[in-house]
Amino acid sequence: MTHDAAPTDVVLRDGSTVCLRAAGEQDAEALLGFLQSLSPESLYFRFLGLPSLTVSRVRALTGTAGGGTTSLVVEAGGRLVGFAGFYRDPGSPERAEVAFAVSDALHGHGIGTRLLERLAGLARVEGISTFDAYVLGGNRRMLDVFRDSGFPVTTAVEHGACHVVMPLVVTEHFTDKAAARSRAAATASMKAFFNPRAVAVVGANRDRGKTGSEILHNILAAGFTGSVVPVHPTAQEIEGLTAYPRVIDIPESIDLAIIVVPAAGVLAAVEDCLSKHVPAICVISAGFGECDAEGRAREAAVVERIRSAGARLVGPNCMGLLNTDPAVRLNATLSAVCPPAGRVAMSTQGGALGLAILDYAARMHIGISSFVSVGNKPDVSGNDLIQYWADDPATSVILLYLESFGNPRKFSEIARRVGRTKPIVAVKAGRSRAAPSQTGALASSDAVVEALFRQAGVIRTERLEELFDVAALLANQPVPRGARVAILTNAGGAGILAADACEANGLQLAALSAVSVAALEAFLPAGATVGNPVDVRGSAPPAHYRDALETILRDDQVDSVIVIGIPPLLTESSAVAAAIADAARLVPGKPVLGVFMRSEGGPAALAPIPAYAFPESAALALARVTSYGLWLARPVHPPGGVERFDHGTIRRWIEKILSRGGSWTTRDEANDLLEAAGIPGVEGRVSTRPGPEMSAVLMQRVAPQGVEMIVSAVQDPLFGPVIACGTHGALVHIPGDSAFRLHPLSALDARDMIDELRGAPLLRGECGAPPADEGALRDVVLRVSELVAAAPEIQELHLDPLIVLPSGVSVADVRVRVEGASSARVGRRVDY
């Protein structure tokens, strides 16, 4: 969860949203009214009655009158519905007392838990490690909030009240609980889009060919199982359905509204839907943030109204959504081509591109469970959809076409978890190879996006065609356990092409066992090749394919098989395809890919084995899925976990630097920060950053003893803290000379970063020099990640160079820039 007090729209467990933000002076009167609206029981349970509610008392509660208080308020529908705050203990600054209150009508929606999570994040940044709360014994609801938070909680009865002690440690149990809450909220908020009982089409028209009319027609043509209501200012009937002038005039409840009116009229249509309490709104219309300043202002106004009402928005500037579930059969898109039902879910940003994607999926016979075109995505984005699809029993593979990230930090967190059970495949458009600036704008490079996907286990593809190649494999075959591939072919040239493509993409040609070779020799003709590739000859009968594939699949040295059939050489293509499918069923557990080099694709009898037109396409898809399998096999390491890390000292130094307005730190300040983080400081402290002469002296002292490296951290406004590790003197965007990861890092992330470097053999003594202390380097990388977490005000930190010695490390030079953490954001962000 976001650990600042900037206004954030939080999704609750019922799928609605509320705005959570810092309390301010302007809230005193409204907060007084909120507290006075609470039932006497609620006031008594939460504040022991607060017998004298006054504006001055409320200001003391919120901290706007001073006194070491941090407080938050919750808004819904333009009014305050929740409050929370913590109050630092003057005698023990590492502890604070916490209290919160929620409107009686909203108890049980999860607001208290969200307030507690956010307060805990703010408290940790301020150096507070423990919350105390005093709860009356009969207040079981508040006790449950503390116990269900995921934090470790102890209770003791003191003076008739229950004293709750809650250490603010982020454990695996806490992250699991928070993720489960997030997923449940996302699923609830998306339900009305994918499983509506009644849909209104605002802007439906009698004239076919217009956008609203086509969407209405497509909904009806797909056989939607719910009710459909056209909305038109004057028409009384459209497509045989009763039409209404406004949504508010519809007598029944509406779950989903599809808005297809000119951009200037969208806000009025949205207001109408919100008055009707429609929870899900999809705006097809263009003319918003994709256009100009006027469009951006129009989009912001729409989002503001939808969020303040607690509803959700898909679009604007999109092509709609669909759900192929036979119990729903919703095609609320501009595409008259509805793909077959299947196990693949997909989200795209592009509108017109989405039409082409649906058409391509139908031609490739790739079954779709649900599809969403998110358009400008100021609200619903891939983060919401991934969590919804994670719990969707109809979906087993998730595809994403991304043009931009809204909240990449949340994307990474969600994808890491979901990817363990359902693969996520993405095409990220807009690659940028621009070099970073001298101040370290690392995220200008596509390497950061690559790092995000690698950490999260997302399968990245270069082209849409490759996206569907990978999807066809994942949807129909198991994930391989390793990289050893066998090739079965009836043409030697095609086998060689496949072998070259496998090796070029990091796969290994399996060495068949002696038992397998002997078995193949026993039934294949004399001219056949029984190595790898296995060539059964051009006119091989179906039985040879079946027996050869079964033999290969039973070989423990083989993890996957590519089977190639050149149709002009096959006398019975369909029979051969059936034989391949039979063998795969006899020996399940290993993926089989078919290659039938003909324009009409693989024979129908090959199903469920995916068919590719060329060996290179099959090899590349297999390589992508194999990498995902290796990621799945990796142990899960929680981030952080370093010892001897002094949060209190770090916070004191940061506050001291901020008190003078923030700047590049002095050398002594930088050293104190490093030492509090457990990183050895620069020898021979000086009061300012040394010039080149001093740096040269330090380098002469330590460089001959070890390997020169760089470890850096930079706050990116979109990606957050980006950690880089590279060889000294290299441009950080050169592949192989540097490696990137997004905070937070695990020990495995730190190890992988070093493994990616071309300088890794030098570190390990493989170039003639003594090996350096790679473990100490990994430790420094982890501590830098932990440092920027403890002090988000650190905008840049550069250990350049860092000398990795045979035992330990030595920092030859350090630069740190500290500025006040900015809460400015582009647009309103959704959190869970």
Side-chain angles (χ1 to χ4, degrees):
M1 187 155 184
T2 304
H3 294 155
D4 61 46
T8 302
D9 294 293
V10 176
V11 183
L12 304 178
R13 63 176 58 136
D14 67 346
S16 63
T17 63
V18 294
C19 180
L20 192 156
R21 60 172 175 80
E25 178 74 24
Q26 75 281 2
D27 296 314
E29 292 285 353
L31 185 53
L32 175 61
F34 160 69
L35 293 173
Q36 290 174 333
S37 73
L38 295 176
S39 66
E41 181 186 48
S42 292
L43 269 180
Y44 181 69
F45 274 151
R46 283 149 182 80
F47 299 105
L48 302 185
L50 278 180
S52 55
L53 281 172
T54 64
V55 171
S56 60
R57 175 66 172 138
V58 167
R59 285 182 179 140
L61 277 175
T62 62
T64 55
T69 297
T70 297
S71 57
L72 302 169
V73 293
V74 180
E75 287 182 317
R79 60 189 181 89
L80 295 187
V81 297
F83 164 78
F86 64 77
Y87 314 92
R88 192 187 289 268
D89 184 343
S92 301
E94 75 284 357
R95 302 178 77 101
E97 184 176 348
V98 64
F100 49 88
V102 175
S103 173
D104 295 316
L106 293 176
H107 287 174
H109 286 63
I111 294 177
T113 305
R114 300 303 187 204
L115 284 167
L116 185 59
E117 286 178 344
R118 179 66 60 85
L119 283 177
L122 292 168
R124 282 194 295 269
V125 171
E126 294 186 23
I128 295 170
S129 59
T130 304
F131 272 167
D132 293 283
Y134 294 90
V135 182
L136 292 177
N139 192 356
R140 298 187 60 84
R141 190 183 296 273
M142 183 171 282
L143 288 172
D144 287 342
V145 170
F146 288 114
R147 289 169 177 152
D148 293 342
S149 67
F151 290 114
V153 171
T154 59
T155 59
V157 177
E158 298 178 8
H159 309 294
C162 186
H163 179 195
V164 178
V165 178
M166 189 172 73
L168 305 181
V169 290
V170 179
T171 62
E172 186 175 355
H173 177 65
F174 171 80
T175 56
D176 287 345
K177 293 278 284 187
R181 288 191 291 266
S182 174
R183 219 142 122 181
T187 298
S189 72
M190 294 295 100
K191 183 178 180 180
F193 287 107
F194 293 106
N195 295 278
R197 292 161 299 181
V199 177
V201 181
V202 184
N205 199 288
R206 288 174 174 159
D207 299 328
R208 290 294 305 275
K210 294 187 175 180
T211 303
S213 302
E214 292 308 305
I215 287 181
L216 177 63
H217 179 79
N218 291 340
I219 293 174
L220 296 173
F224 176 53
T225 58
S227 60
V228 188
V229 184
V231 176
H232 187 277
T234 59
Q236 296 183 344
E237 177 270 330
I238 300 176
E239 291 251 12
L241 301 172
T242 301
Y244 295 87
R246 298 171 58 192
V247 172
I248 197 70
D249 298 321
I250 301 171
E252 63 182 302
S253 297
I254 297 297
D255 301 304
L256 170 63
I258 310 294
I259 296 179
V260 196
V261 300
V266 167
L267 183 57
V270 166
E271 294 279 10
D272 214 33
C273 292
L274 297 178
S275 297
K276 183 70 175 175
H277 304 294
V278 177
I281 298 173
C282 176
V283 176
I284 306 293
S285 314
F288 291 88
E290 78 281 2
C291 291
D292 51 25
E294 181 182 355
R296 289 189 290 274
R298 188 181 292 128
E299 183 173 296
V302 168
V303 174
E304 174 72 29
R305 283 297 299 121
I306 284 178
R307 293 281 182 79
S308 65
R312 300 304 305 272
L313 168 70
V314 166
N317 185 35
C318 73
M319 59 157 286
L321 55 103
L322 64 82
N323 181 2
T324 63
D325 184 344
V328 181
R329 295 202 302 272
L330 174 67
N331 179 15
T333 75
L334 288 167
S335 175
V337 179
C338 192
R343 308 288 301 171
V344 177
M346 185 170 189
S347 166
T348 73
Q349 281 185 248
L353 183 61
L355 292 173
I357 286 172
L358 284 178
D359 180 66
Y360 185 79
R363 286 191 289 111
M364 291 289 292
H365 305 290
I366 293 177
I368 299 292
S369 59
S370 52
F371 169 89
V372 187
S373 167
V374 293
N376 295 354
K377 61 170 190 178
D379 182 31
V380 171
S381 70
N383 291 352
D384 302 273
L385 296 167
I386 291 171
Q387 294 190 99
Y388 171 78
W389 286 326
D391 287 336
D392 178 21
T395 296
S396 58
V397 181
I398 299 169
L399 306 185
L400 305 173
Y401 172 76
L402 300 170
E403 294 175 1
S404 62
F405 286 105
N407 187 345
R409 282 171 274 184
K410 192 67 178 179
F411 175 89
S412 177
E413 174 189 324
I414 294 169
R416 287 192 208 204
R417 287 185 168 272
V418 175
R420 291 283 165 189
T421 55
K422 295 185 181 182
I424 302 170
V425 193
V427 170
K428 170 62 176 72
R431 283 180 177 267
S432 171
R433 299 292 183 183
S437 68
Q438 291 184 346
T439 59
L442 303 179
S444 62
S445 170
D446 188 66
V448 180
V449 175
E450 190 68 36
L452 185 158
F453 286 156
R454 187 179 297 114
Q455 277 178 281
V458 174
I459 304 171
R460 186 178 191 178
T461 64
E462 299 291 334
R463 308 177 315 279
L464 283 169
E465 180 184 10
E466 184 189 341
L467 180 84
F468 284 105
D469 285 345
V470 171
L473 177 55
L474 287 167
N476 294 289
Q477 295 293 298
V479 175
R481 300 189 186 95
R484 301 168 301 178
V485 185
I487 298 166
L488 175 62
T489 181
N490 68 336
I496 293 171
L497 285 175
D500 290 346
C502 286
E503 292 183 339
N505 287 288
L507 299 172
Q508 306 166 16
L509 289 182
L512 299 181
S513 68
V515 172
S516 296
V517 170
L520 292 168
E521 288 176 336
F523 65 81
L524 291 179
T529 302
V530 294
N532 188 14
V534 175
D535 185 354
V536 295
R537 309 300 292 168
S539 57
H544 284 182
Y545 265 98
R546 182 182 57 249
D547 295 345
L549 179 56
E550 182 182 348
T551 300
I552 294 168
L553 285 171
R554 294 190 186 280
D555 194 322
D556 292 337
Q557 305 301 313
V558 174
D559 298 310
S560 55
V561 184
I562 296 175
V563 184
I564 304 171
I566 307 296
L569 303 178
L570 296 175
T571 57
E572 306 173 80
S573 291
S574 293
V576 166
I580 293 170
D582 286 344
R585 279 190 291 270
L586 283 171
V587 191
K590 296 180 181 180
V592 177
L593 294 78
V595 177
F596 276 73
M597 299 174 69
R598 61 182 195 173
S599 59
E600 62 266 37
L606 190 65
I609 294 171
Y612 300 88
F614 299 102
E616 294 88 346
S617 300
L620 182 55
L622 180 58
R624 301 291 194 205
V625 176
T626 298
S627 294
Y628 170 68
L630 296 175
W631 178 83
L632 281 178
R634 290 155 51 103
V636 178
H637 285 234
V642 296
E643 298 177 350
R644 296 178 294 102
F645 196 91
D646 190 345
H647 288 83
T649 298
I650 289 169
R651 290 309 312 169
R652 286 192 290 273
W653 273 109
I654 291 296
E655 295 300 330
K656 177 184 175 182
I657 296 164
L658 290 175
S659 67
R660 65 169 188 261
S663 63
W664 288 98
T665 65
T666 66
R667 172 64 62 76
D668 285 347
E669 289 168 338
N671 269 289
D672 286 326
L673 285 170
L674 293 184
E675 290 176 4
I679 301 171
V682 177
E683 296 181 30
R685 294 187 177 202
V686 291
S687 59
T688 59
R689 184 184 172 196
E693 297 83 4
M694 177 61 76
S695 294
V697 170
L698 291 172
M699 286 298 298
Q700 288 174 5
R701 183 188 307 172
V702 298
Q705 305 172 26
V707 180
E708 299 175 30
M709 304 292 292
I710 302 171
V711 176
S712 293
V714 175
Q715 284 281 355
D716 180 85
L718 181 62
F719 290 89
V722 178
I723 314 298
C725 179
T727 53
H728 175 61
L731 292 174
V732 294
H733 67 286
I734 299 176
D737 287 334
S738 57
F740 302 92
R741 291 296 186 274
L742 273 64
H743 166 82
L745 301 187
S746 69
L748 201 56
D749 291 326
R751 190 195 73 184
D752 288 347
M753 290 176 75
I754 296 166
D755 287 345
E756 289 174 23
L757 301 174
R758 281 195 290 257
L762 181 64
L763 281 169
R764 293 162 186 162
E766 298 171 14
C767 301
D773 192 342
E774 187 180 336
L777 174 59
R778 290 198 300 268
D779 185 67
V780 168
V781 172
L782 285 173
R783 291 180 183 277
V784 166
S785 175
E786 191 77 5
L787 179 55
V788 296
E793 299 89 349
I794 294 177
Q795 303 302 306
E796 296 183 55
L797 185 153
H798 306 283
L799 307 179
D800 181 12
L802 173 74
I803 311 303
V804 188
L805 304 167
S807 178
V809 296
S810 177
V811 178
D813 197 5
V814 57
R815 293 179 295 144
V816 180
R817 182 169 66 87
V818 176
E819 303 288 348
S822 172
S823 62
R825 292 179 182 164
V826 178
R828 293 182 63 163
R829 174 171 293 174
V830 175
D831 212 337
Y832 296 93

